[in-house]
Amino acid sequence: MRSQRLAIIEYLRAEGRVEPAALARAEAVAAKTRQPVEQVLNQLGGLSDEALVQAYAEVLEVAIWDPVRLPALKDLAQIGLSVEFLRRSRLLVLEGEGDKLVCAGCDPLDAEALQGLRFATGRPVEMLVTSPGDWRRAFDEAFDAHSPAMDTVDERRLEREIDLVADGAGEGAGARFVSSVFEAAIEAGASDIHFEPRRHDLCVRFRVDGRMSVHRIAPADLAQPAVSRVKVIANLDLGERRLPQDGRTTFVIGGKPIDVRVATSPTVFGESAVLRILDRTSVPLDLNALSLNPTVVGLLKKAALASHGLFLVTGPTGSGKTTTLYALLQTFAGSPKKVLSVEDPVEYHFEHVSQTQVAPNVGLSFAQALRSFLRQDPDVILVGEIRDPETAAVAIQAAMTGHLVLASIHANDALGVLPRLQDMGIEPFQLAAGFRGAVAQRLVRRLCPDCARKVEATEADTSFFKSFGADPPSHCAEPVGCPKCKGTGFKGRITVSEGFGATEGLLRAITHPEGNHGLVTEARLGGLRTMVMDGLDQIASGMTTREEVAAAIYG
């Protein structure tokens, strides 16, 4: 067995499936927990389910389990095995004929499990390999009714300090419930998970493509165990149930680590919890891949090349501002520039950026962090949000003294950032000296490419286009619904955006105001094309609908 496990590690090295640092960490953990190195790699997110199964199949020459062809056997009485044995060993007995016992397992080299199967059944065993995710789904479907309500001991799980293991099989009902909900959320493409205790039950809701929907109604007695599990893995205070708490944790799904931001809050029926899924792989941090219009992409790339000045991204909560700013930060990867950021919260981690989390409870605000940054010789500074006059004053000061400042701010549109900054006390001459441009954006649901139907433009569509002086298209697209979009007709979201650069004429209009008309004229000369016009383009191209654009821009 040992030689076979070493062969698996050598295979993973040779195929480039595992990073040396991740392997070294897994070997250290495996030495303490007495678990196989390849299994630890998978549990810590250093090896995907697919890569693990493929390694077993190639090295051991075992078949990969097909759940459709060989379903799991649900009646264990006839073979003398218990549900708990299968749970601990991460096994499934498969339906079949003949004397041979055919099983699917996450670890086909588990000698203890194989010996237990032969001893309990008195039959020869054929082992197929399956991924932890497939095993968990099939096991829950077959034996969920047999899941014990109380915690049971799993002597095979990792120590608490490396509680990144996705398999909560031995962690009790609350852990299994949270794990299954999180897995379903990832599969649905949810951005947020809401655990909401009510008088008689626990409501679990997902936010998918900006829309809330009920995922599951669970018994009320699961509310406290589920929220407690979330608090444990997010390192929150289990004993404090009277005050809101914020934390961060990592789930491993399919052998891939996914960061999660956690916020709990007391309610009259118990603590609620909201999990924001920060899956960096779901949105590539590339300006060319964010569905921004070409004019806006050009403005952002030009801003990244500037040596100094203030460039702003605006939009309501949940409009993708942070993603756009992070894509801007990514353009500095590999450059010699010193890049600092102050955020609340830090959502993604970058190797080339020194990131700071604000901590108001100890006096570390955006403004305080910015002041300290100016003494650290930065080239680029990211400000998560300009939300008060003090932060605005320090940001414009930094922009005027040779630093490139990228920041988000709340305003209705791109031009709205100028009066917003002036409301915060920034003088027109300061804006003229430091302002470099702004981008505004919204997110709209994208029609499912597999089922969207092209139809003739309706009278409402035509009127909508004409009201903005645009030529209406002859055809638009409408949602239909299919299994790939789960019957909604929409899959994913796209951006409608606008932006402008700070031309000399615009800066003169700021310092010598002639009313808003002068600013609008100069901004259009600087490349401004409104979000509405961008939305009309998306409708005409069949990417979204009139209702989606109108709801995103006008509410």
Side-chain angles (χ1 to χ4, degrees), residues 447-452 482 484-485 491:
L447 285 165
C448 175
D450 295 293
C451 65
C482 68
K484 289 191 176 180
C485 63
K491 190 174 183 181

Side-chain angles (χ1 to χ4, degrees), residues 250-480:
T250 301
F251 279 82
V252 178
I253 298 296
K256 298 175 183 177
I258 297 173
D259 289 338
V260 180
R261 193 172 77 225
V262 177
T264 65
S265 180
T267 74
V268 292
F269 297 116
E271 281 186 291
S272 67
V274 177
L275 282 64
R276 166 65 58 89
I277 299 171
L278 308 174
D279 185 4
R280 182 168 173 172
T281 61
S282 65
V283 180
L285 297 182
D286 180 356
L287 290 175
N288 296 316
L290 292 183
S291 73
L292 296 163
N293 71 61
T295 301
V296 170
V297 172
L299 282 169
L300 292 166
K301 289 181 176 179
K302 184 178 179 181
L305 295 174
S307 59
H308 64 279
L310 174 65
F311 193 90
L312 299 169
V313 178
T314 188
T317 300
S319 61
K321 299 189 299 297
T322 300
T323 300
T324 299
L325 286 170
Y326 278 169
L328 259 179
L329 282 188
Q330 189 62 30
T331 63
F332 298 104
S335 80
K337 291 187 175 182
K338 171 81 170 181
V339 185
L340 304 176
S341 79
V342 54
E343 306 169 53
D344 183 24
V346 174
E347 296 196 1
Y348 298 116
H349 298 287
F350 295 89
E351 294 296 328
H352 65 289
V353 182
S354 297
Q355 296 172 273
T356 299
Q357 165 77 51
V358 300
N361 56 320
V362 295
L364 183 60
S365 63
F366 278 108
Q368 286 282 69
L370 269 176
R371 286 195 183 92
S372 73
F373 284 179
L374 296 180
R375 298 188 291 273
Q376 296 180 36
D377 190 27
D379 296 298
V380 182
I381 299 173
L382 171 70
V383 183
E385 184 182 348
I386 295 177
R387 59 175 66 155
D388 56 68
E390 188 180 11
T391 305
V394 182
I396 198 69
Q397 178 190 350
M400 293 168 61
T401 54
H403 307 91
L404 175 59
V405 180
L406 309 172
S408 73
I409 190 170
H410 281 285
N412 290 329
D413 50 37
L415 267 177
V417 304
L418 296 172
R420 180 86 172 95
L421 286 171
Q422 289 177 311
D423 287 343
M424 291 184 179
I426 304 302
E427 297 293 338
F429 76 88
Q430 293 177 304
L431 282 176
F435 182 71
R436 291 292 174 268
V439 163
Q441 62 185 70
R442 303 283 194 281
L443 293 176
V444 299
R445 290 192 298 171
R446 177 175 53 192
L447 285 165
C448 175
D450 295 293
C451 65
R453 180 169 55 201
K454 190 175 181 179
V455 296
E456 288 189 8
T458 65
E459 185 176 338
D461 292 330
T462 301
S463 298
F464 190 68
F465 274 77
K466 287 183 175 179
S467 66
F468 297 104
D471 295 329
S474 59
H475 290 81
C476 295
E478 66 177 11
V480 177

Side-chain angles (χ1 to χ4, degrees), residues 181-196 203-216 258-263 273-279 282 317-319 345 347-348 443 493:
V181 166
F182 192 82
E183 198 168 293
I186 295 298
E187 185 178 351
S191 61
D192 299 85
I193 306 171
H194 294 246
F195 292 91
E196 301 170 341
C203 179
V204 180
R205 298 199 291 168
F206 292 165
R207 187 178 295 278
V208 180
D209 295 336
R211 305 295 176 95
M212 292 286 285
S213 62
V214 175
H215 164 65
R216 184 173 175 182
I258 297 173
D259 289 338
V260 180
R261 193 172 77 225
V262 177
V274 177
L275 282 64
R276 166 65 58 89
I277 299 171
L278 308 174
D279 185 4
S282 65
T317 300
S319 61
E347 296 196 1
Y348 298 116
L443 293 176
R493 289 189 286 180

Side-chain angles (χ1 to χ4, degrees), residues 135-147:
W135 169 82
R136 188 180 303 107
R137 282 187 289 272
F139 188 93
D140 288 345
E141 182 181 346
F143 305 114
D144 189 53
H146 299 280
S147 298

